[in-house]
Amino acid sequence: MNVFNALIRAASESGEPAAQLPEYAPLLLILPLAGFLFTAAIGRRLGKLAHLVPLGAIVATWGIAMSLAIPALLGDLGEYGASSELFTWIASGSLTFNMGIHVDALTGALLLVVTTVGALVHLYSVGYMSHDPGYWRFFAYLNLFMFSMLLLVLASNLLVVFAAWELVGLSSYLLIGFWYTKREPGLAAKKAFITNRVGDVGFALGLMGLVAVFGTLDIPTVLAGVAAGELTGTAATVIALLIFCGAVGKSAQFPLHVWLPDAMEGPTPVSALIHAATMVNAGVYLVARMSPLFAASPEAMIIVASIGIFTAIFAASIALTQTDIKRVLAFSTLSQLGYMFAALGVGAWVPAIFHLVTHGFFKGLLFLGSGSVIHAVNGEQEMTKMGGLWRKIPITYATMLIGTVAIAGLPPLAGFWSKDEILTEAFKFGYAWVWLVGMIVAAMTAFYMFRLMGLTFWGKSRVHDESHVHESPWTMTVPLIILAVPSIAIGAALGFPVADGVIVHALEPIFHPADAMLGIEHKPWELFGIGGLLMLGSVTVASIGTVVGVRLFRSDNNEFLGRVTKRLQPLYDGSRNRWYFDDLNDLVFVRFGRKVANALWWFDRRVVDGTVNGVASLTSSGGRGLRQIQTGRVQNYALGIAFGLVAIAAAYLVIAG
């Protein structure tokens, strides 16, 4: 059954007409793909105008996306969304894989973030990458990435999702390693590519399991089958965890998190696009989309929650001591993604997607803001060599302060609404351990983000040459100002009134089958009840982290911080060195793997090739020896015959005895 028929069936059962997407909907994919092909073909000839077609394509894509995303979030596309069947991609025997696109509230939420941040990153890159010799190539890669990501979230078939999944990996490899003439970006790109392939193996095996059970990978058909109880027990757990492997890799969760911090070697717009608002969200989207599959396995849900909350506190503990501004934000991304997976693991589907949306905007703002800071100080990324910048780059400072308050979870900015919902639902659903760790992480987040602000903008200037410090051009500051608006308002716009806002009404029908399987009942939120107390608690811990961070880093407090660091030196060193996980990874996998590879290479060369080459050499030597006998002289042949007869006679006498 194809996706469109599945939608018709579901709609007929509910008494609602199935919606068909407008005819222009495929332009969401066509425009960025065309921008990539055009720029890749002739972009070099366009020079500084190479951004025009890719930027125009993405702006147009954004407009089309908003025409579908907003109605989807407002419920105008119906409970089951709208679909458009494009063509049959693969038909082999009883297996048919259709290429179609589907838009519902979940897709709409992703479209809102991906296209908005993507368009602003394109505009930002016009200024940030203006002097780079690979200017045209950068915009071609950006368009390819946008096409891949949009295909991933729009696809109605899991095989198409997997193809887009791999295209996203390819695009990220090209963008992370954009400065390929330098050693570090090349190594970072390779690390990201290989690490993601580890997770993708599990994803592929999980899809094979679904094909074996259902005979199709049409998403509505698979999910309907799971909800009907056609996949349960050990099989459901195994398939869910295999698919989760792909999510762990793409969203950089422990233990496949090692690629994301190193990926900061790429240009800053890449960090904002791939590692804040789009690529890393793919794993969260996948688990959310397959929510009935995970709901069918309580064991898988516990594992998802455990890995998520562990990653959240693990990454936050590392962010506390980092001095590279982009790496602080990278570990912050790991931590916030951990929040989302923890929410998915406890069944808080809506808060997880809500936090994905808010995080995409304020983290995109923070990454682009860090790029503006780096641009102002001539490429310097070490915060210990900054300070006192708030007067020099006031727009960057003001917008980054907004992003910092948002991620800290302070009301009324965006992060407060979504993070509070995750913590509240975790507690209400009986996962007190997730709530407790989440509260600790909330305090840590506020602290390390205001530490970042203090080291970068406050105190005395430590910039080597202050005469060159300047505000970024308008192509870079305008995206910052625009992103500051949703960082302030998107939380309240989607989440007010608490637990009953637009985002809840939009997404609850999507997750109703999973909620029914888990037996979850959403109780009304009460200000003067447990909901209000939990909100007060989350605001309190965020405020404590904020106050401590501001008090310690609003001015140069080096003496006091030095004493604290000395007393906690082992913990400080552990955090500074990422708890030595990268060293362990290098020892166990890289060095050991290299030794195994060298041993296998020796065995292949000496034993396998040696055997083959030895037989060939022996044959060749034997041929050369026999060739010496062929002299062409009759007397030599007669002598040979005589010796042969004597040998035969001697052998006969010995045997006869």
Side-chain angles (χ1 to χ4, degrees):
M1 179 188 304
N2 63 41
V3 62
F4 189 56
N5 290 336
L7 287 168
I8 292 176
R9 185 186 72 173
S12 63
E13 292 175 352
S14 66
E16 297 182 9
Q20 179 79 12
L21 285 172
E23 293 183 356
Y24 61 79
L27 289 174
L28 285 169
L29 302 174
I30 295 172
L31 287 173
L33 180 60
F36 160 69
L37 294 174
F38 177 85
T39 309
I42 67 169
R44 187 190 295 271
R45 303 176 186 176
L46 298 177
K48 296 300 182 183
L49 299 178
H51 66 274
L52 290 178
V53 171
L55 179 60
I58 294 304
V59 171
T61 301
W62 175 83
I64 297 170
M66 292 304 100
S67 73
L68 298 174
I70 294 175
L73 290 171
L74 294 177
D76 294 341
L77 295 184
E79 182 177 343
Y80 297 96
S83 174
S84 179
E85 203 71 54
L86 302 180
F87 55 86
T88 298
W89 181 25
I90 299 174
S92 178
S94 61
L95 290 177
T96 302
F97 300 101
N98 298 305
M99 177 63 202
I101 58 177
H102 178 66
V103 178
D104 56 15
L106 179 57
T107 308
L110 269 292
L111 287 177
L112 179 66
V113 178
V114 171
T115 58
T116 302
V117 177
L120 293 173
V121 165
H122 275 69
L123 177 60
Y124 182 93
S125 300
V126 173
Y128 192 89
M129 301 295 293
S130 60
H131 301 294
D132 196 285
Y135 189 72
W136 66 274
R137 183 165 52 88
F138 184 78
F139 280 95
Y141 292 166
L142 284 183
N143 264 212
L144 176 62
F145 177 84
M146 289 296 295
F147 163 75
S148 306
M149 191 66 200
L150 288 170
L151 179 62
L152 192 157
V153 300
L154 288 167
S156 59
N157 189 290
L158 284 170
L159 186 63
V160 181
V161 170
F162 184 77
W165 193 272
E166 297 304 310
L167 278 175
V168 168
L170 171 63
S171 308
S172 66
Y173 172 79
L174 295 173
L175 287 167
I176 295 168
F178 180 76
W179 290 320
Y180 60 87
T181 56
K182 301 178 182 177
R183 185 172 182 271
E184 288 77 13
L187 292 175
K190 184 169 65 175
K191 189 174 186 179
F193 192 80
I194 294 173
T195 305
N196 273 274
R197 297 294 75 72
V198 174
D200 293 352
V201 170
F203 188 10
L205 292 173
L207 295 184
M208 294 177 190
L210 290 176
V211 170
V213 175
F214 298 104
T216 182
L217 288 177
D218 281 335
I219 295 175
T221 305
V222 170
L223 297 184
V226 175
E230 297 176 18
L231 180 61
T232 58
T234 303
T237 300
V238 171
I239 293 175
L241 291 179
L242 285 171
I243 289 177
F244 180 57
C245 284
V248 168
K250 199 68 79 186
S251 294
Q253 295 296 282
F254 183 90
L256 300 181
H257 67 282
V258 293
W259 68 270
L260 185 64
D262 289 350
M264 299 301 108
E265 294 292 342
T268 298
V270 173
S271 303
L273 180 65
I274 296 180
H275 309 118
T278 54
M279 176 181 169
V280 294
N281 290 336
V284 179
Y285 166 78
L286 179 65
V287 175
R289 176 61 74 190
M290 303 302 294
S291 56
L293 174 61
F294 286 87
S297 172
E299 296 82 2
M301 295 278 289
I302 289 293
I303 292 174
V304 172
S306 300
I307 288 179
I309 203 63
F310 177 79
T311 304
I313 195 166
F314 175 78
S317 69
I318 297 174
L320 292 172
T321 59
Q322 301 302 301
T323 56
D324 184 305
I325 188 171
K326 289 175 65 176
R327 288 188 183 271
V328 174
L329 295 176
F331 283 106
S332 172
T333 296
L334 289 177
S335 184
Q336 297 302 306
L337 289 167
Y339 260 119
M340 300 175 206
F341 279 106
L344 294 171
V346 304
W349 318 103
V350 174
I353 300 303
F354 189 14
H355 197 54
L356 181 153
V357 173
T358 60
H359 176 263
F361 287 114
F362 61 66
K363 185 53 64 68
L365 170 61
L366 289 168
F367 264 116
L368 294 184
S370 72
S372 183
V373 171
I374 295 167
H375 179 270
V377 293
N378 293 319
E380 182 60 64
Q381 295 185 193
E382 284 291 320
M383 297 184 295
T384 55
K385 299 179 181 179
M386 300 178 186
L389 294 177
W390 72 276
R391 296 181 183 274
K392 300 278 187 179
I393 46 175
I395 297 176
T396 301
Y397 169 68
T399 51
M400 283 199 71
L401 183 60
I402 290 171
T404 298
V405 175
I407 194 174
L410 296 174
L413 273 67
F416 157 74
W417 301 90
S418 55
K419 186 182 295 184
D420 176 75
E421 276 299 290
I422 290 175
L423 296 174
T424 298
E425 298 233 331
F427 187 90
K428 287 183 175 180
F429 294 164
Y431 295 88
W433 56 279
V434 173
W435 170 81
L436 180 60
V437 177
M439 293 284 278
I440 297 171
V441 174
M444 296 167 69
T445 302
F447 174 80
Y448 67 66
M449 286 306 305
F450 278 97
R451 171 180 177 269
L452 181 149
M453 293 297 296
L455 291 176
T456 305
F457 294 102
W458 304 336
K460 297 179 181 179
S461 175
R462 299 175 297 277
V463 179
H464 177 67
D465 187 2
E466 290 190 78
S467 62
H468 293 287
V469 178
H470 58 284
E471 187 64 92
S472 300
W474 71 269
T475 54
M476 295 173 64
T477 56
V478 168
L480 297 181
I481 296 170
I482 294 174
L483 282 173
V485 176
S487 297
I488 296 172
I490 194 71
L494 296 179
F496 184 84
V498 179
D500 195 36
V502 172
I503 194 77
V504 174
H505 287 288
L507 292 176
E508 273 196 344
I510 303 287
F511 299 119
H512 177 72
D515 286 343
M517 295 171 70
L518 294 171
I520 293 177
E521 295 183 7
H522 297 277
K523 298 179 181 179
W525 191 90
E526 297 179 357
L527 178 61
F528 300 102
I530 186 64
L533 288 174
L534 292 171
M535 175 185 285
L536 180 62
S538 66
V539 172
T540 300
V541 297
S543 300
I544 292 172
T546 299
V547 171
V548 175
V550 172
R551 290 289 300 270
L552 288 178
F553 296 99
R554 68 180 175 180
S555 60
D556 295 303
N557 250 331
N558 297 330
E559 185 177 343
F560 174 76
L561 291 172
R563 290 199 306 269
V564 173
T565 301
K566 189 174 181 179
R567 288 188 177 183
L568 302 175
Q569 196 67 47
L571 292 175
Y572 179 85
D573 291 342
S575 172
R576 188 86 170 87
N577 292 285
R578 310 182 191 181
W579 301 115
Y580 307 102
F581 191 86
D582 281 39
D583 296 332
L584 179 63
N585 180 67
D586 182 71
L587 178 64
V588 175
F589 294 104
V590 179
R591 296 184 186 180
F592 179 74
R594 186 182 294 119
K595 290 182 179 180
V596 172
N598 288 335
L600 292 174
W601 175 82
W602 180 90
F603 182 82
D604 181 68
R605 182 170 181 143
R606 299 295 183 183
V607 179
V608 179
D609 289 352
T611 301
V612 175
N613 295 334
V615 172
S617 180
L618 182 62
T619 304
S620 179
S621 300
R624 285 194 299 270
L626 292 173
R627 188 173 61 190
Q628 299 300 320
I629 301 175
Q630 305 299 317
T631 63
R633 296 178 181 178
V634 176
Q635 59 268 33
N636 290 347
Y637 297 153
L639 183 61
I641 293 170
F643 275 121
L645 291 172
V646 171
I648 292 171
Y652 175 78
L653 292 173
V654 172
I655 296 172

